[in-house]
Amino acid sequence: MNVKVAPFQRRTVSFVRRESPLGPQVQRAWDENYESLVIDVPRTEASMSVAPGFELDALREFGRVAPLVVEIGSGTGDAVVNGARSRPGMNFLAVEVYATGLAATVTKIVHHNLTNVRLVHADGVEVLEHMLRRQSVAELWIFFADPWHKNRHRKRRLVNPAFAELAASRLAPGGTLRLATDWADYAIQMRDVLAACDSLTNPHVDPAPDLGASRTGFAPRFSGRVMTRFEEKGLASGRAIYDLELRRA
């Protein structure tokens, strides 16, 4: 059964487009490496959409077929670049709506001479729905997505029941979904939404938790997740960091 989500133009998205000018060096790196690193995505009406029928061709884009790690909301690329450096046998796909973040990622890819990273300038839900085949992703990362902490904005949160089903459908059997946030109520919401998805299992659920129901189900810090400014900001504000790790059943 195919997973359906609302058309891009009609559903509430989890981001607001803001762009800043690129510095001269970053702009130069972006211009020189755009064609080789950024996948050219056909659009529909919306600028961050992915046209139905367009699918990732790993052999064409990466020059090889290998297990695929996808990061939605890759920011300036710290996590995906670290992952690509430490696991050269895997392909990494960075998905981001902000060109400034992708441009910063390009400079890091070039600096480390990486060949196993490609970038997509698009909405992550659109990428999952149209660009990635079912059961094609080894790992899916979502680190410090916008918490939309005001009550009236919570409908914008990325992780909801429809997203959980879509994400699970793209994971290969035994594939891993990793998430992190510094907002406790979003962490609990994500944990509970993902627990309701029959295709995902949480190996960190304690049937007799000593820490209370609000803490069970969260994972130890993922060793492949590097410290970013979002995490530093959260820690500086006194907020705890919550990791989630779920497996495709």
Side-chain angles (χ1 to χ4, degrees), residues 120-141:
V120 181
H121 192 198
D123 172 35
V125 174
E126 292 274 300
V127 170
L128 287 175
E129 184 180 15
H130 301 302
M131 190 171 170
L132 299 175
R133 297 182 182 91
R134 297 176 67 88
Q135 301 187 9
S136 64
V137 177
E139 292 189 23
L140 178 61
W141 298 352

Side-chain angles (χ1 to χ4, degrees), residues 163-165 167-169 171 175-177 179 193-203 246-249:
F163 178 84
E165 295 291 343
S169 74
L171 286 173
T176 305
L177 172 62
L179 308 96
V193 164
L194 297 170
C197 179
D198 292 338
S199 300
L200 296 171
T201 60
N202 187 336
L246 297 102
R247 303 282 170 79
R248 173 65 191 260

Side-chain angles (χ1 to χ4, degrees), residues 103-249:
T105 305
V106 165
T107 63
K108 294 169 186 175
I109 294 171
V110 172
H111 175 73
H112 294 291
N113 195 30
L114 297 173
T115 60
N116 59 333
V117 187
R118 296 295 181 269
L119 299 86
V120 181
H121 192 198
D123 172 35
V125 174
E126 292 274 300
V127 170
L128 287 175
E129 184 180 15
H130 301 302
M131 190 171 170
L132 299 175
R133 297 182 182 91
R134 297 176 67 88
Q135 301 187 9
S136 64
V137 177
E139 292 189 23
L140 178 61
W141 298 352
I142 304 166
F143 299 146
F144 299 95
D146 194 326
W148 294 104
H149 53 86
K150 294 182 180 179
N151 287 334
R152 67 178 184 273
H153 291 155
R154 289 186 180 180
K155 62 183 179 181
R156 287 184 172 273
R157 286 178 168 177
L158 176 64
V159 180
N160 57 39
F163 178 84
E165 295 291 343
L166 177 60
S169 74
R170 270 44 185 175
L171 286 173
T176 305
L177 172 62
R178 301 185 187 279
L179 308 96
T181 184
D182 60 334
W183 287 88
D185 70 308
Y186 195 15
I188 292 169
Q189 176 190 322
M190 291 193 297
R191 179 201 63 187
D192 294 346
V193 164
L194 297 170
C197 179
D198 292 338
S199 300
L200 296 171
T201 60
N202 187 336
H204 302 284
V205 172
D206 184 350
D210 295 329
L211 298 176
S214 65
R215 292 293 301 186
T216 187
F218 294 105
R221 179 190 174 90
F222 170 45
S223 61
R225 180 169 61 76
V226 298
M227 183 74 69
T228 66
R229 64 184 179 89
F230 291 103
E231 185 170 1
E232 290 174 346
K233 183 178 179 181
L235 291 171
S237 299
R239 294 192 293 271
I241 307 300
Y242 298 82
D243 278 78
L244 284 161
E245 176 187 336
L246 297 102
R247 303 282 170 79
R248 173 65 191 260

Side-chain angles (χ1 to χ4, degrees), residues 11 17 26 43 45 50 57 65 79 92 94 97 126 150 158 171-172 174 180 226-227 239 242:
R11 66 177 174 81
R17 295 290 307 286
V26 175
R43 314 287 185 184
E45 290 89 347
V50 177
D57 184 332
V65 176
F92 286 79
V97 297
E126 292 274 300
K150 294 182 180 179
L158 176 64
L171 286 173
V226 298
M227 183 74 69
R239 294 192 293 271
Y242 298 82

